[in-house]
Amino acid sequence: MMDRIEAMRVFLRVAETGSFSLVARERGTQQPTISKQVAGLERGLGVRLLQRTTRTLSLTEEGRAFAARAAAALDAFDEAQACVGPGREAPSGLLRISCPVAFGRLHVAPRLRRLLDQHPDLRIELLMSDGFANLVEQGIDLAIRVGALPDASLVARRIGLTRRVTVGAPDYLARRGVPETPADLARHECIVYSRLATGSEWHFAGRDGAMAVRVSGRVMADNSEAVREAVLAGCGIAVTPTWLFRDELRDGSAVVVLKTYEPVPLPIQAVHPSRRYVPAKVRAAIGFFAQEFRIDPVLSDYGADA
């Protein structure tokens, strides 16, 4: 069993570096030894994990699937050892974090130094995309997501709140007029964020209670940065997080409309795969971001379980 675990470690490092020779040098051994370990792992599994040519090395489809699950299994094994060994519960190793692009740029990446200062044995790989990554298949330890979760099998903890506003550029509003109620949006170009769970149906809370309106427009985007640029270019009106237009709302290049009708806020959630054991590095990161967001007036949610 320990030989199989060591072979898994070797395989993952070869997959990461794309080189048997480099891994051999790292481990102080010869390239044929590394090749034999990977070949033995492939024989035991009955599949080819790596596609080898004289000039390239790549993962097969089976290799990609195995790599993601092997990484998660080794992480769990390492954490289990840490629980009963010296220095147990100390967050360490590589932590792979997934988050939306704009949120990561503004609120995750700037905080990483403080997280690393608190946990010197931690390393971080930040994966930013507005798409919903498959945490298990991609070997992601922790995802920070804004809004509802499409996968009920994941474990989520609410760590903050994203308040939203309805915004437009002064140029657009001068040309098309300023909407007075959500119903007026039917006569406007609306920039739709295609990854929003409610799609082109925007939800508001106003003086008369909750309401939903169906909007449309000629611009649709799958990430917040594109929505932001389209608004500033005068393409239309968008419902967006307050933090996405923080500077533009201050300098007047974007204007809030429908001030008495607040778009329904969205939860910020820390998400990890459903496992019985949550690694110390994941617990540490969740606690860190929960605390950071709690003291940030833009992201705080005093009703959250943080």
PDB file of all heavy atoms in Angstrom, residues 12-13 16 71 75 92-99 104 108-109 112 115-116 121-129 138-144 281 285 289:
ATOM      1  N   LEU A  12       1.679  12.127  -9.838  1.00  0.00           N
ATOM      2  CA  LEU A  12       1.132  13.484  -9.786  1.00  0.00           C
ATOM      3  C   LEU A  12       2.207  14.532 -10.052  1.00  0.00           C
ATOM      4  O   LEU A  12       1.958  15.535 -10.727  1.00  0.00           O
ATOM      5  CB  LEU A  12       0.477  13.745  -8.425  1.00  0.00           C
ATOM      6  CG  LEU A  12      -0.843  13.003  -8.167  1.00  0.00           C
ATOM      7  CD1 LEU A  12      -1.302  13.217  -6.732  1.00  0.00           C
ATOM      8  CD2 LEU A  12      -1.922  13.468  -9.137  1.00  0.00           C
ATOM      9  N   ARG A  13       3.412  14.289  -9.539  1.00  0.00           N
ATOM     10  CA  ARG A  13       4.488  15.250  -9.783  1.00  0.00           C
ATOM     11  C   ARG A  13       4.930  15.224 -11.245  1.00  0.00           C
ATOM     12  O   ARG A  13       5.211  16.271 -11.828  1.00  0.00           O
ATOM     13  CB  ARG A  13       5.665  14.933  -8.854  1.00  0.00           C
ATOM     14  CG  ARG A  13       6.797  15.959  -8.916  1.00  0.00           C
ATOM     15  CD  ARG A  13       6.293  17.346  -8.574  1.00  0.00           C
ATOM     16  NE  ARG A  13       7.366  18.327  -8.673  1.00  0.00           N
ATOM     17  CZ  ARG A  13       7.181  19.603  -8.939  1.00  0.00           C
ATOM     18  NH1 ARG A  13       5.954  20.070  -9.156  1.00  0.00           N
ATOM     19  NH2 ARG A  13       8.206  20.434  -9.000  1.00  0.00           N
ATOM     20  N   GLU A  16       2.391  17.124 -13.151  1.00  0.00           N
ATOM     21  CA  GLU A  16       2.512  18.564 -12.903  1.00  0.00           C
ATOM     22  C   GLU A  16       3.685  19.177 -13.673  1.00  0.00           C
ATOM     23  O   GLU A  16       3.567  20.267 -14.244  1.00  0.00           O
ATOM     24  CB  GLU A  16       2.693  18.817 -11.404  1.00  0.00           C
ATOM     25  CG  GLU A  16       2.794  20.281 -11.036  1.00  0.00           C
ATOM     26  CD  GLU A  16       2.989  20.494  -9.545  1.00  0.00           C
ATOM     27  OE1 GLU A  16       2.921  19.504  -8.792  1.00  0.00           O
ATOM     28  OE2 GLU A  16       3.219  21.642  -9.127  1.00  0.00           O
ATOM     29  N   ALA A  71      -5.085  13.217  -6.108  1.00  0.00           N
ATOM     30  CA  ALA A  71      -4.646  14.387  -5.344  1.00  0.00           C
ATOM     31  C   ALA A  71      -5.506  14.564  -4.099  1.00  0.00           C
ATOM     32  O   ALA A  71      -5.000  14.831  -3.002  1.00  0.00           O
ATOM     33  CB  ALA A  71      -4.709  15.636  -6.215  1.00  0.00           C
ATOM     34  N   ASP A  75      -4.216  14.154  -0.241  1.00  0.00           N
ATOM     35  CA  ASP A  75      -4.423  15.239   0.715  1.00  0.00           C
ATOM     36  C   ASP A  75      -5.088  14.715   1.983  1.00  0.00           C
ATOM     37  O   ASP A  75      -4.699  15.059   3.106  1.00  0.00           O
ATOM     38  CB  ASP A  75      -5.285  16.338   0.097  1.00  0.00           C
ATOM     39  CG  ASP A  75      -4.477  17.270  -0.787  1.00  0.00           C
ATOM     40  OD1 ASP A  75      -3.237  17.201  -0.738  1.00  0.00           O
ATOM     41  OD2 ASP A  75      -5.093  18.054  -1.526  1.00  0.00           O
ATOM     42  N   SER A  92      -0.945  23.277   6.202  1.00  0.00           N
ATOM     43  CA  SER A  92       0.267  23.204   5.398  1.00  0.00           C
ATOM     44  C   SER A  92      -0.061  22.636   4.028  1.00  0.00           C
ATOM     45  O   SER A  92      -1.167  22.137   3.795  1.00  0.00           O
ATOM     46  CB  SER A  92       1.320  22.331   6.090  1.00  0.00           C
ATOM     47  OG  SER A  92       0.842  21.000   6.222  1.00  0.00           O
ATOM     48  N   GLY A  93       0.908  22.729   3.119  1.00  0.00           N
ATOM     49  CA  GLY A  93       0.737  22.168   1.789  1.00  0.00           C
ATOM     50  C   GLY A  93       0.074  23.135   0.831  1.00  0.00           C
ATOM     51  O   GLY A  93      -0.125  24.318   1.125  1.00  0.00           O
ATOM     52  N   LEU A  94      -0.278  22.617  -0.342  1.00  0.00           N
ATOM     53  CA  LEU A  94      -0.883  23.423  -1.398  1.00  0.00           C
ATOM     54  C   LEU A  94      -2.393  23.516  -1.202  1.00  0.00           C
ATOM     55  O   LEU A  94      -3.079  22.500  -1.093  1.00  0.00           O
ATOM     56  CB  LEU A  94      -0.579  22.806  -2.769  1.00  0.00           C
ATOM     57  CG  LEU A  94      -1.197  23.517  -3.969  1.00  0.00           C
ATOM     58  CD1 LEU A  94      -0.639  24.925  -4.126  1.00  0.00           C
ATOM     59  CD2 LEU A  94      -0.971  22.714  -5.247  1.00  0.00           C
ATOM     60  N   LEU A  95      -2.909  24.744  -1.180  1.00  0.00           N
ATOM     61  CA  LEU A  95      -4.337  24.998  -1.083  1.00  0.00           C
ATOM     62  C   LEU A  95      -4.803  25.588  -2.403  1.00  0.00           C
ATOM     63  O   LEU A  95      -4.378  26.677  -2.790  1.00  0.00           O
ATOM     64  CB  LEU A  95      -4.633  25.968   0.061  1.00  0.00           C
ATOM     65  CG  LEU A  95      -6.092  26.408   0.227  1.00  0.00           C
ATOM     66  CD1 LEU A  95      -6.963  25.226   0.645  1.00  0.00           C
ATOM     67  CD2 LEU A  95      -6.207  27.538   1.238  1.00  0.00           C
ATOM     68  N   ARG A  96      -5.669  24.881  -3.109  1.00  0.00           N
ATOM     69  CA  ARG A  96      -6.166  25.342  -4.408  1.00  0.00           C
ATOM     70  C   ARG A  96      -7.532  26.003  -4.190  1.00  0.00           C
ATOM     71  O   ARG A  96      -8.491  25.352  -3.779  1.00  0.00           O
ATOM     72  CB  ARG A  96      -6.268  24.198  -5.414  1.00  0.00           C
ATOM     73  CG  ARG A  96      -4.960  23.434  -5.593  1.00  0.00           C
ATOM     74  CD  ARG A  96      -5.058  22.386  -6.686  1.00  0.00           C
ATOM     75  NE  ARG A  96      -4.915  22.997  -8.006  1.00  0.00           N
ATOM     76  CZ  ARG A  96      -5.703  22.726  -9.039  1.00  0.00           C
ATOM     77  NH1 ARG A  96      -6.739  21.908  -8.894  1.00  0.00           N
ATOM     78  NH2 ARG A  96      -5.492  23.295 -10.213  1.00  0.00           N
ATOM     79  N   ILE A  97      -7.600  27.315  -4.458  1.00  0.00           N
ATOM     80  CA  ILE A  97      -8.808  28.106  -4.226  1.00  0.00           C
ATOM     81  C   ILE A  97      -9.383  28.563  -5.559  1.00  0.00           C
ATOM     82  O   ILE A  97      -8.673  29.115  -6.396  1.00  0.00           O
ATOM     83  CB  ILE A  97      -8.506  29.345  -3.355  1.00  0.00           C
ATOM     84  CG1 ILE A  97      -7.884  28.936  -2.020  1.00  0.00           C
ATOM     85  CG2 ILE A  97      -9.772  30.156  -3.124  1.00  0.00           C
ATOM     86  CD1 ILE A  97      -7.471  30.129  -1.161  1.00  0.00           C
ATOM     87  N   SER A  98     -10.673  28.358  -5.740  1.00  0.00           N
ATOM     88  CA  SER A  98     -11.377  28.832  -6.930  1.00  0.00           C
ATOM     89  C   SER A  98     -12.314  29.969  -6.532  1.00  0.00           C
ATOM     90  O   SER A  98     -12.948  29.927  -5.471  1.00  0.00           O
ATOM     91  CB  SER A  98     -12.203  27.687  -7.541  1.00  0.00           C
ATOM     92  OG  SER A  98     -13.054  28.160  -8.561  1.00  0.00           O
ATOM     93  N   CYS A  99     -12.390  31.002  -7.384  1.00  0.00           N
ATOM     94  CA  CYS A  99     -13.285  32.127  -7.098  1.00  0.00           C
ATOM     95  C   CYS A  99     -13.590  32.872  -8.400  1.00  0.00           C
ATOM     96  O   CYS A  99     -12.866  32.735  -9.386  1.00  0.00           O
ATOM     97  CB  CYS A  99     -12.674  33.070  -6.063  1.00  0.00           C
ATOM     98  SG  CYS A  99     -11.136  33.854  -6.598  1.00  0.00           S
ATOM     99  N   GLY A 104     -12.260  37.763  -7.088  1.00  0.00           N
ATOM    100  CA  GLY A 104     -10.908  37.359  -6.740  1.00  0.00           C
ATOM    101  C   GLY A 104      -9.920  38.502  -6.841  1.00  0.00           C
ATOM    102  O   GLY A 104      -9.037  38.665  -5.985  1.00  0.00           O
ATOM    103  N   VAL A 108     -10.066  38.637  -2.897  1.00  0.00           N
ATOM    104  CA  VAL A 108      -9.333  37.436  -2.480  1.00  0.00           C
ATOM    105  C   VAL A 108      -7.828  37.633  -2.614  1.00  0.00           C
ATOM    106  O   VAL A 108      -7.088  37.528  -1.636  1.00  0.00           O
ATOM    107  CB  VAL A 108      -9.800  36.204  -3.278  1.00  0.00           C
ATOM    108  CG1 VAL A 108      -8.990  34.974  -2.862  1.00  0.00           C
ATOM    109  CG2 VAL A 108     -11.286  35.947  -3.050  1.00  0.00           C
ATOM    110  N   ALA A 109      -7.360  37.940  -3.826  1.00  0.00           N
ATOM    111  CA  ALA A 109      -5.919  38.085  -4.052  1.00  0.00           C
ATOM    112  C   ALA A 109      -5.266  39.111  -3.114  1.00  0.00           C
ATOM    113  O   ALA A 109      -4.180  38.844  -2.566  1.00  0.00           O
ATOM    114  CB  ALA A 109      -5.654  38.443  -5.511  1.00  0.00           C
ATOM    115  N   LEU A 112      -4.319  37.524   0.323  1.00  0.00           N
ATOM    116  CA  LEU A 112      -3.548  36.294   0.418  1.00  0.00           C
ATOM    117  C   LEU A 112      -2.287  36.457   1.264  1.00  0.00           C
ATOM    118  O   LEU A 112      -1.877  35.518   1.952  1.00  0.00           O
ATOM    119  CB  LEU A 112      -3.191  35.788  -0.983  1.00  0.00           C
ATOM    120  CG  LEU A 112      -4.364  35.306  -1.834  1.00  0.00           C
ATOM    121  CD1 LEU A 112      -3.850  34.748  -3.153  1.00  0.00           C
ATOM    122  CD2 LEU A 112      -5.198  34.264  -1.093  1.00  0.00           C
ATOM    123  N   LEU A 115      -3.094  35.822   4.831  1.00  0.00           N
ATOM    124  CA  LEU A 115      -3.344  34.403   5.070  1.00  0.00           C
ATOM    125  C   LEU A 115      -2.028  33.637   5.134  1.00  0.00           C
ATOM    126  O   LEU A 115      -1.825  32.791   6.018  1.00  0.00           O
ATOM    127  CB  LEU A 115      -4.237  33.845   3.960  1.00  0.00           C
ATOM    128  CG  LEU A 115      -4.523  32.336   4.006  1.00  0.00           C
ATOM    129  CD1 LEU A 115      -5.186  31.943   5.308  1.00  0.00           C
ATOM    130  CD2 LEU A 115      -5.404  31.933   2.820  1.00  0.00           C
ATOM    131  N   LEU A 116      -1.110  33.931   4.221  1.00  0.00           N
ATOM    132  CA  LEU A 116       0.181  33.242   4.202  1.00  0.00           C
ATOM    133  C   LEU A 116       1.037  33.620   5.407  1.00  0.00           C
ATOM    134  O   LEU A 116       1.787  32.793   5.930  1.00  0.00           O
ATOM    135  CB  LEU A 116       0.914  33.561   2.903  1.00  0.00           C
ATOM    136  CG  LEU A 116       0.274  32.990   1.631  1.00  0.00           C
ATOM    137  CD1 LEU A 116       0.954  33.548   0.395  1.00  0.00           C
ATOM    138  CD2 LEU A 116       0.309  31.475   1.635  1.00  0.00           C
ATOM    139  N   ASP A 121       3.500  27.580   6.424  1.00  0.00           N
ATOM    140  CA  ASP A 121       3.698  26.323   5.702  1.00  0.00           C
ATOM    141  C   ASP A 121       2.657  26.108   4.604  1.00  0.00           C
ATOM    142  O   ASP A 121       2.602  25.038   3.996  1.00  0.00           O
ATOM    143  CB  ASP A 121       3.650  25.138   6.673  1.00  0.00           C
ATOM    144  CG  ASP A 121       4.820  25.159   7.654  1.00  0.00           C
ATOM    145  OD1 ASP A 121       5.899  25.630   7.249  1.00  0.00           O
ATOM    146  OD2 ASP A 121       4.642  24.724   8.802  1.00  0.00           O
ATOM    147  N   LEU A 122       1.845  27.126   4.359  1.00  0.00           N
ATOM    148  CA  LEU A 122       0.784  27.028   3.359  1.00  0.00           C
ATOM    149  C   LEU A 122       1.252  27.597   2.025  1.00  0.00           C
ATOM    150  O   LEU A 122       1.982  28.586   1.979  1.00  0.00           O
ATOM    151  CB  LEU A 122      -0.439  27.811   3.853  1.00  0.00           C
ATOM    152  CG  LEU A 122      -1.800  27.501   3.233  1.00  0.00           C
ATOM    153  CD1 LEU A 122      -2.190  26.054   3.470  1.00  0.00           C
ATOM    154  CD2 LEU A 122      -2.854  28.444   3.815  1.00  0.00           C
ATOM    155  N   ARG A 123       0.864  26.935   0.927  1.00  0.00           N
ATOM    156  CA  ARG A 123       1.052  27.451  -0.425  1.00  0.00           C
ATOM    157  C   ARG A 123      -0.317  27.555  -1.081  1.00  0.00           C
ATOM    158  O   ARG A 123      -1.208  26.755  -0.775  1.00  0.00           O
ATOM    159  CB  ARG A 123       1.951  26.531  -1.249  1.00  0.00           C
ATOM    160  CG  ARG A 123       3.387  26.450  -0.746  1.00  0.00           C
ATOM    161  CD  ARG A 123       4.231  25.510  -1.595  1.00  0.00           C
ATOM    162  NE  ARG A 123       3.811  24.133  -1.440  1.00  0.00           N
ATOM    163  CZ  ARG A 123       3.333  23.372  -2.412  1.00  0.00           C
ATOM    164  NH1 ARG A 123       3.183  23.873  -3.630  1.00  0.00           N
ATOM    165  NH2 ARG A 123       2.977  22.121  -2.184  1.00  0.00           N
ATOM    166  N   ILE A 124      -0.493  28.527  -1.973  1.00  0.00           N
ATOM    167  CA  ILE A 124      -1.812  28.781  -2.555  1.00  0.00           C
ATOM    168  C   ILE A 124      -1.733  28.819  -4.068  1.00  0.00           C
ATOM    169  O   ILE A 124      -0.853  29.457  -4.646  1.00  0.00           O
ATOM    170  CB  ILE A 124      -2.404  30.107  -2.030  1.00  0.00           C
ATOM    171  CG1 ILE A 124      -2.695  30.001  -0.535  1.00  0.00           C
ATOM    172  CG2 ILE A 124      -3.687  30.469  -2.788  1.00  0.00           C
ATOM    173  CD1 ILE A 124      -3.116  31.304   0.101  1.00  0.00           C
ATOM    174  N   GLU A 125      -2.671  28.138  -4.708  1.00  0.00           N
ATOM    175  CA  GLU A 125      -2.899  28.280  -6.147  1.00  0.00           C
ATOM    176  C   GLU A 125      -4.296  28.870  -6.316  1.00  0.00           C
ATOM    177  O   GLU A 125      -5.287  28.252  -5.915  1.00  0.00           O
ATOM    178  CB  GLU A 125      -2.799  26.943  -6.867  1.00  0.00           C
ATOM    179  CG  GLU A 125      -3.000  27.066  -8.368  1.00  0.00           C
ATOM    180  CD  GLU A 125      -2.869  25.744  -9.109  1.00  0.00           C
ATOM    181  OE1 GLU A 125      -2.565  24.725  -8.462  1.00  0.00           O
ATOM    182  OE2 GLU A 125      -3.090  25.737 -10.328  1.00  0.00           O
ATOM    183  N   LEU A 126      -4.368  30.068  -6.907  1.00  0.00           N
ATOM    184  CA  LEU A 126      -5.642  30.762  -7.062  1.00  0.00           C
ATOM    185  C   LEU A 126      -6.144  30.564  -8.489  1.00  0.00           C
ATOM    186  O   LEU A 126      -5.477  30.916  -9.455  1.00  0.00           O
ATOM    187  CB  LEU A 126      -5.461  32.251  -6.761  1.00  0.00           C
ATOM    188  CG  LEU A 126      -6.728  33.106  -6.712  1.00  0.00           C
ATOM    189  CD1 LEU A 126      -7.688  32.591  -5.647  1.00  0.00           C
ATOM    190  CD2 LEU A 126      -6.375  34.565  -6.443  1.00  0.00           C
ATOM    191  N   LEU A 127      -7.338  29.999  -8.609  1.00  0.00           N
ATOM    192  CA  LEU A 127      -7.951  29.709  -9.904  1.00  0.00           C
ATOM    193  C   LEU A 127      -9.181  30.598 -10.051  1.00  0.00           C
ATOM    194  O   LEU A 127     -10.183  30.396  -9.363  1.00  0.00           O
ATOM    195  CB  LEU A 127      -8.350  28.229  -9.981  1.00  0.00           C
ATOM    196  CG  LEU A 127      -7.234  27.235  -9.621  1.00  0.00           C
ATOM    197  CD1 LEU A 127      -7.794  25.844  -9.443  1.00  0.00           C
ATOM    198  CD2 LEU A 127      -6.156  27.244 -10.688  1.00  0.00           C
ATOM    199  N   MET A 128      -9.123  31.578 -10.943  1.00  0.00           N
ATOM    200  CA  MET A 128     -10.209  32.553 -11.052  1.00  0.00           C
ATOM    201  C   MET A 128     -10.996  32.335 -12.342  1.00  0.00           C
ATOM    202  O   MET A 128     -10.459  32.377 -13.452  1.00  0.00           O
ATOM    203  CB  MET A 128      -9.651  33.968 -10.986  1.00  0.00           C
ATOM    204  CG  MET A 128      -8.908  34.251  -9.692  1.00  0.00           C
ATOM    205  SD  MET A 128      -8.733  36.026  -9.287  1.00  0.00           S
ATOM    206  CE  MET A 128      -7.972  36.670 -10.749  1.00  0.00           C
ATOM    207  N   SER A 129     -12.285  32.083 -12.176  1.00  0.00           N
ATOM    208  CA  SER A 129     -13.194  31.903 -13.306  1.00  0.00           C
ATOM    209  C   SER A 129     -14.604  32.118 -12.804  1.00  0.00           C
ATOM    210  O   SER A 129     -14.932  31.738 -11.674  1.00  0.00           O
ATOM    211  CB  SER A 129     -13.053  30.496 -13.889  1.00  0.00           C
ATOM    212  OG  SER A 129     -14.085  30.237 -14.823  1.00  0.00           O
ATOM    213  N   GLN A 138     -11.368  18.685 -10.563  1.00  0.00           N
ATOM    214  CA  GLN A 138     -10.268  19.615 -10.760  1.00  0.00           C
ATOM    215  C   GLN A 138      -9.351  19.722  -9.542  1.00  0.00           C
ATOM    216  O   GLN A 138      -8.421  20.515  -9.530  1.00  0.00           O
ATOM    217  CB  GLN A 138     -10.808  20.997 -11.133  1.00  0.00           C
ATOM    218  CG  GLN A 138     -11.538  21.012 -12.469  1.00  0.00           C
ATOM    219  CD  GLN A 138     -12.083  22.380 -12.825  1.00  0.00           C
ATOM    220  OE1 GLN A 138     -13.262  22.554 -13.105  1.00  0.00           O
ATOM    221  NE2 GLN A 138     -11.220  23.379 -12.831  1.00  0.00           N
ATOM    222  N   GLY A 139      -9.608  18.915  -8.532  1.00  0.00           N
ATOM    223  CA  GLY A 139      -8.741  18.903  -7.362  1.00  0.00           C
ATOM    224  C   GLY A 139      -8.732  20.213  -6.601  1.00  0.00           C
ATOM    225  O   GLY A 139      -7.704  20.616  -6.060  1.00  0.00           O
ATOM    226  N   ILE A 140      -9.879  20.894  -6.537  1.00  0.00           N
ATOM    227  CA  ILE A 140      -9.976  22.184  -5.855  1.00  0.00           C
ATOM    228  C   ILE A 140     -10.358  21.949  -4.396  1.00  0.00           C
ATOM    229  O   ILE A 140     -11.304  21.222  -4.088  1.00  0.00           O
ATOM    230  CB  ILE A 140     -11.005  23.084  -6.552  1.00  0.00           C
ATOM    231  CG1 ILE A 140     -10.499  23.450  -7.950  1.00  0.00           C
ATOM    232  CG2 ILE A 140     -11.292  24.332  -5.744  1.00  0.00           C
ATOM    233  CD1 ILE A 140     -11.522  24.132  -8.819  1.00  0.00           C
ATOM    234  N   ASP A 141      -9.609  22.565  -3.504  1.00  0.00           N
ATOM    235  CA  ASP A 141      -9.855  22.397  -2.066  1.00  0.00           C
ATOM    236  C   ASP A 141     -10.987  23.272  -1.557  1.00  0.00           C
ATOM    237  O   ASP A 141     -11.764  22.864  -0.687  1.00  0.00           O
ATOM    238  CB  ASP A 141      -8.583  22.726  -1.277  1.00  0.00           C
ATOM    239  CG  ASP A 141      -7.414  21.849  -1.664  1.00  0.00           C
ATOM    240  OD1 ASP A 141      -7.501  20.635  -1.434  1.00  0.00           O
ATOM    241  OD2 ASP A 141      -6.429  22.382  -2.202  1.00  0.00           O
ATOM    242  N   LEU A 142     -11.066  24.506  -2.079  1.00  0.00           N
ATOM    243  CA  LEU A 142     -12.014  25.483  -1.556  1.00  0.00           C
ATOM    244  C   LEU A 142     -12.451  26.416  -2.677  1.00  0.00           C
ATOM    245  O   LEU A 142     -11.619  26.890  -3.451  1.00  0.00           O
ATOM    246  CB  LEU A 142     -11.357  26.293  -0.435  1.00  0.00           C
ATOM    247  CG  LEU A 142     -12.151  27.473   0.142  1.00  0.00           C
ATOM    248  CD1 LEU A 142     -13.398  26.982   0.849  1.00  0.00           C
ATOM    249  CD2 LEU A 142     -11.270  28.283   1.092  1.00  0.00           C
ATOM    250  N   ALA A 143     -13.744  26.651  -2.774  1.00  0.00           N
ATOM    251  CA  ALA A 143     -14.272  27.627  -3.728  1.00  0.00           C
ATOM    252  C   ALA A 143     -15.007  28.710  -2.956  1.00  0.00           C
ATOM    253  O   ALA A 143     -15.718  28.428  -1.991  1.00  0.00           O
ATOM    254  CB  ALA A 143     -15.226  26.961  -4.723  1.00  0.00           C
ATOM    255  N   ILE A 144     -14.796  29.943  -3.372  1.00  0.00           N
ATOM    256  CA  ILE A 144     -15.561  31.062  -2.819  1.00  0.00           C
ATOM    257  C   ILE A 144     -16.526  31.494  -3.911  1.00  0.00           C
ATOM    258  O   ILE A 144     -16.100  31.936  -4.981  1.00  0.00           O
ATOM    259  CB  ILE A 144     -14.645  32.218  -2.403  1.00  0.00           C
ATOM    260  CG1 ILE A 144     -13.693  31.742  -1.301  1.00  0.00           C
ATOM    261  CG2 ILE A 144     -15.472  33.408  -1.904  1.00  0.00           C
ATOM    262  CD1 ILE A 144     -12.691  32.783  -0.865  1.00  0.00           C
ATOM    263  N   LYS A 281      -5.935  22.941   6.354  1.00  0.00           N
ATOM    264  CA  LYS A 281      -5.688  24.094   5.486  1.00  0.00           C
ATOM    265  C   LYS A 281      -6.999  24.702   4.986  1.00  0.00           C
ATOM    266  O   LYS A 281      -7.114  25.920   4.831  1.00  0.00           O
ATOM    267  CB  LYS A 281      -4.797  23.699   4.299  1.00  0.00           C
ATOM    268  CG  LYS A 281      -5.386  22.634   3.393  1.00  0.00           C
ATOM    269  CD  LYS A 281      -4.396  22.217   2.317  1.00  0.00           C
ATOM    270  CE  LYS A 281      -4.982  21.125   1.421  1.00  0.00           C
ATOM    271  NZ  LYS A 281      -4.014  20.664   0.390  1.00  0.00           N
ATOM    272  N   ALA A 285      -8.464  28.453   6.006  1.00  0.00           N
ATOM    273  CA  ALA A 285      -8.796  29.443   4.986  1.00  0.00           C
ATOM    274  C   ALA A 285     -10.233  29.938   5.139  1.00  0.00           C
ATOM    275  O   ALA A 285     -10.509  31.133   5.006  1.00  0.00           O
ATOM    276  CB  ALA A 285      -8.588  28.852   3.596  1.00  0.00           C
ATOM    277  N   PHE A 289     -11.164  33.915   5.777  1.00  0.00           N
ATOM    278  CA  PHE A 289     -11.996  34.753   4.920  1.00  0.00           C
ATOM    279  C   PHE A 289     -13.292  35.171   5.613  1.00  0.00           C
ATOM    280  O   PHE A 289     -13.786  36.283   5.397  1.00  0.00           O
ATOM    281  CB  PHE A 289     -12.299  34.033   3.598  1.00  0.00           C
ATOM    282  CG  PHE A 289     -11.132  34.003   2.659  1.00  0.00           C
ATOM    283  CD1 PHE A 289     -10.495  32.817   2.353  1.00  0.00           C
ATOM    284  CD2 PHE A 289     -10.644  35.178   2.093  1.00  0.00           C
ATOM    285  CE1 PHE A 289      -9.405  32.779   1.494  1.00  0.00           C
ATOM    286  CE2 PHE A 289      -9.553  35.163   1.238  1.00  0.00           C
ATOM    287  CZ  PHE A 289      -8.932  33.959   0.932  1.00  0.00           C
TER     288      PHE A 289
END
